């Protein structure tokens, strides 16, 4: 199992030893400040993009929802009108058994019952 340790702002002694072994100097404070500022700007831009995407998707959903609801209502009305002669069958035990059989066949056909 992979364990993750949180980062700290303390200077790591092993990292200092590696830099000393490579004969490199540690980055200066001004470099670290500019790096952290760039990281914050990148996070802020990413947050703004996510918010803009959520607002755009919400506006799109609000714009198309009346059409979707009207179409759904029409389909439900047509199905309701077509199923009147079968109303007694639908609520009977035989209708329940037939619907379960149809559902089972759909599951078989789609492969939802296969082992993975």
């Amino acid at each position: 199992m992979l364990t993750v340790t949180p980062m700290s702002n303390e200077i790591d002694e092993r990292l200092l030893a590696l830099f000393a072994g490579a004969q490199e100097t540690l980055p200066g404070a001004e470099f670290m400040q500019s790096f952290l500022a760039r990281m914050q700007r990148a996070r802020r831009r990413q947050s703004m993009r996510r918010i803009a995407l959520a607002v755009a998707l919400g506006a799109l959903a609000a714009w198309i929802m009346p059409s979707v609801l009207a179409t759904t209502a029409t389909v439900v009305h047509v199905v309701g009108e077509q199923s009147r002669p079968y109303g007694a069958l639908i609520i009977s035990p035989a209708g329940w058994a037939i619907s379960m059989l149809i559902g089972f066949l759909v599951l078989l056909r789609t492969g939802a019952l296969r082992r993975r």
Side-chain angles (χ1 to χ4, degrees), residues 86-99:
Y86 307 108
L89 176 64
I90 291 173
I91 61 173
S92 70
W96 178 83
I98 291 170
S99 69

Side-chain angles (χ1 to χ4, degrees), residues 17-90:
L18 288 172
F19 270 106
Q23 297 178 351
E24 294 285 332
T25 59
L26 288 172
E30 63 278 350
F31 170 79
M32 290 304 291
Q33 290 297 331
S34 68
F35 176 73
L36 291 174
R38 281 184 288 160
M39 293 267 304
Q40 278 189 334
R41 280 193 302 270
R43 283 189 190 125
R44 220 176 295 125
R45 270 184 269 144
Q46 187 178 28
S47 294
M48 293 302 285
R49 275 188 294 229
R50 286 181 181 161
I51 291 169
L53 180 63
V55 168
L57 288 176
L60 179 65
W63 183 57
I64 67 170
M65 196 53 62
S67 172
V68 169
L69 292 176
T71 305
T72 303
T74 303
V75 169
V76 167
H77 179 72
V78 169
V79 168
E81 290 296 319
Q82 296 296 322
S83 66
R84 278 183 198 226
Y86 307 108
L89 176 64
I90 291 173

